[in-house]
Amino acid sequence: MITLTPRDVLPDDSTAGTLVGRVWLPQAGGPAVVAVRADGVFDVTARFSTVSALCDEGDPAAALRATRGERIGDLEAILANTPPDRRDTARPHLLAPVDLQVLKAAGVTFAVSMLERVIEERARGNPSSAEAIRKEVVRLVGDDFSRLKPGSAEAAKLKQVLIEQNAWSQYLEVGIGPDAEVFTKAPTLSSVGTGMDAGLHPKSTWNNPEPEVVLVVSSAGRIVGAALGNDVNLRDFEGRSALLLSKAKDNNASCAIGPLLRLFDATFSLDDVRRMDVGLTVTGTDGFVLEGHSSIGKISRDPTDLVAQTISAVHQYPDGFALFLGTMFAPVKDRDAPGQGFTHKRDDIVTIAAPQLGRLVNRMRNSDECEHWTFGVGALMKNLAQRKVI
């Protein structure tokens, strides 16, 4: 069971930044857009009917600061009421901090881990072959793969070396080729927030968390802030076929975002995202603990490039989008038996953390056990209309 307090959730500088969230209001029968401040949680839905609308303001952080809103309670009480096991449905609880934004994700964005993974996979059982491939890669691009620019002449040379070594794969094509892998992670409004259960397909036997930064982008393609995300992944499904990506990625409660959206302002910028280290801890009821991290500084494609490959003249997002940036983390620690690696077990607690964004905490359950997603776009529009905020 998860217990949440403001100290567990907020960034290291607490409420110094501009923090946006969404809270379910039982009396309204729907969600509220809220500002999280030192003196409480304030409903600003009368001014910004959706987080998407707020993000389309010329200066979202300034617009939110200029809107006082109606105080609905303390963050501590709202967090305490968020985990499903102890929730009082007559009181507010926290939701994921995005709404109408399309939920997108970028894959294979860290060459530093991608290349080594593919090299080891292709040369399995033959260490001398792996070492030969590795030495040739270092000769071409140096020992810092994070400097390798996808789509560059250097990358093309590396591709030829790997083809000659029978080590090429479709994952390398999107990892170092000119075109990024950007896919739709989950339906609009389906993400879960901190304190909630995150879902795994019940037929999956090999799966893992993916700790990531999630950029929030306006309809004009402007990056306005960031949150943390867990791009829950089924390694067995995707491993069988890349065409099973949608089944591997999109299941009930399989997209976790939170705890809050931090808007860019004087205290937080895109450069802070570029320097960010994202930590991961998985704690099991069996006493197992897995720790890892992902450093955005080692990403192969700059966040602005990934955004530009998502929204352009050939693809628009009238309500904006939220973009998972990918991860360099791949769990290899054995859990049950040597050589078996890591996979989730029921009731694992996953904590994804970054000093500037706080902590996203979820309990892992099968997707059919998690709260079913029933409040979609139609329900939201009807609710906002009844409340006369649109």
Side-chain angles (χ1 to χ4, degrees):
M1 187 178 297
I2 297 175
T3 299
L4 296 178
T5 68
R7 186 174 181 178
D8 298 322
V9 168
L10 290 173
D12 284 1
D13 59 357
S14 190
T15 55
T18 309
L19 303 177
V20 184
R22 292 170 64 245
V23 169
W24 183 266
L25 293 182
Q27 66 272 26
V33 179
V34 300
V36 177
R37 299 168 176 145
D39 54 343
V41 177
F42 293 81
D43 179 0
V44 295
T45 314
R47 172 66 175 81
F48 313 104
S49 58
T50 61
V51 176
S52 169
L54 168 61
C55 292
D56 263 5
E57 292 282 327
D59 184 340
L64 189 63
R65 287 195 301 271
T67 305
R68 180 60 180 171
E70 179 182 350
R71 191 178 188 278
I72 60 174
D74 296 318
L75 179 60
E76 185 169 12
I78 293 171
L79 287 173
N81 195 48
T82 295
D85 286 351
R86 60 165 60 96
R87 185 179 304 156
D88 179 352
T89 58
R91 296 166 51 217
H93 66 270
L94 199 66
L95 301 169
V98 294
D99 42 41
L100 293 182
Q101 293 93 343
V102 177
L103 302 173
K104 306 292 286 188
V108 200
T109 53
F110 286 82
V112 63
S113 59
M114 172 200 63
L115 293 178
E116 193 66 23
R117 183 168 68 246
V118 173
I119 288 169
E120 291 177 351
E121 176 189 11
R122 298 293 181 175
R124 185 171 298 159
N126 189 344
S128 61
S129 175
E131 184 60 21
I133 299 171
R134 193 175 292 112
K135 285 181 178 178
E136 183 65 6
V137 170
V138 170
R139 184 185 72 80
L140 284 172
V141 299
D143 57 5
D144 182 3
F145 295 147
S146 65
R147 293 182 301 179
L148 181 66
K149 182 175 177 57
S152 65
E154 235 180 7
K157 289 180 181 179
L158 175 59
K159 175 178 179 178
Q160 187 58 42
V161 169
L162 293 173
I163 289 174
E164 292 170 358
Q165 296 285 350
N166 195 32
W168 190 247
S169 79
Q170 58 195 338
Y171 294 102
L172 285 165
E173 180 62 50
V174 296
I176 64 176
D179 299 313
E181 178 193 24
V182 181
F183 58 92
T184 299
K185 165 64 180 176
T188 298
L189 280 174
S190 69
S191 56
V192 297
T194 200
M196 303 174 76
D197 290 339
L200 299 161
H201 195 289
K203 290 185 178 180
S204 175
T205 58
W206 187 26
N207 45 68
N208 64 270
E210 293 192 346
E212 305 189 20
V213 172
V214 181
L215 297 181
V216 176
V217 184
S218 75
S219 64
R222 187 161 46 94
I223 306 169
V224 299
L228 294 171
N230 185 355
D231 180 14
V232 179
N233 184 43
L234 310 183
R235 301 186 74 178
D236 46 3
F237 279 56
E238 187 177 359
R240 291 192 349 244
S241 170
L243 297 179
L244 291 174
L245 178 66
S246 60
K247 179 153 281 192
K249 292 292 188 178
D250 180 12
N251 299 289
N252 183 45
S254 65
C255 178
I257 301 177
L260 301 164
L261 164 61
R262 185 166 187 171
L263 295 173
F264 291 158
D265 59 12
T267 71
F268 182 60
S269 70
L270 184 58
D271 282 337
D272 291 308
V273 172
R274 290 187 174 108
R275 294 187 293 265
M276 192 172 288
D277 284 325
V278 181
L280 168 77
T281 303
V282 178
T283 305
T285 58
D286 56 354
F288 178 87
V289 176
L290 174 72
E291 294 183 329
H293 81 284
S294 186
S295 176
I296 304 299
K298 294 184 177 181
I299 199 167
S300 300
R301 301 180 193 269
D302 188 77
T304 55
D305 176 43
L306 291 170
V307 169
Q309 292 211 36
T310 305
I311 184 170
S312 66
V314 299
H315 205 313
Q316 296 79 47
Y317 296 87
D319 297 299
F321 60 95
L323 178 65
F324 284 75
L325 290 180
T327 183
M328 63 179 283
F329 173 75
V332 296
K333 181 179 179 181
D334 292 332
R335 184 164 196 173
D336 291 319
Q340 294 299 304
F342 170 84
T343 195
H344 274 303
K345 291 189 176 182
R346 192 175 190 271
D347 289 342
D348 277 352
I349 301 297
V350 177
T351 302
I352 296 172
Q356 305 94 328
L357 295 177
R359 280 151 289 279
L360 171 65
V361 186
N362 298 102
R363 180 179 64 179
M364 303 308 300
R365 288 282 176 93
N366 284 341
S367 289
D368 53 359
E369 296 179 280
C370 298
E371 293 177 89
H372 285 196
W373 174 46
T374 59
F375 196 86
V377 175
L380 176 62
M381 294 299 102
K382 182 178 180 180
N383 177 261
L384 294 175
Q386 288 174 339
R387 291 155 62 184
K388 297 182 179 180
V389 292
I390 58 170

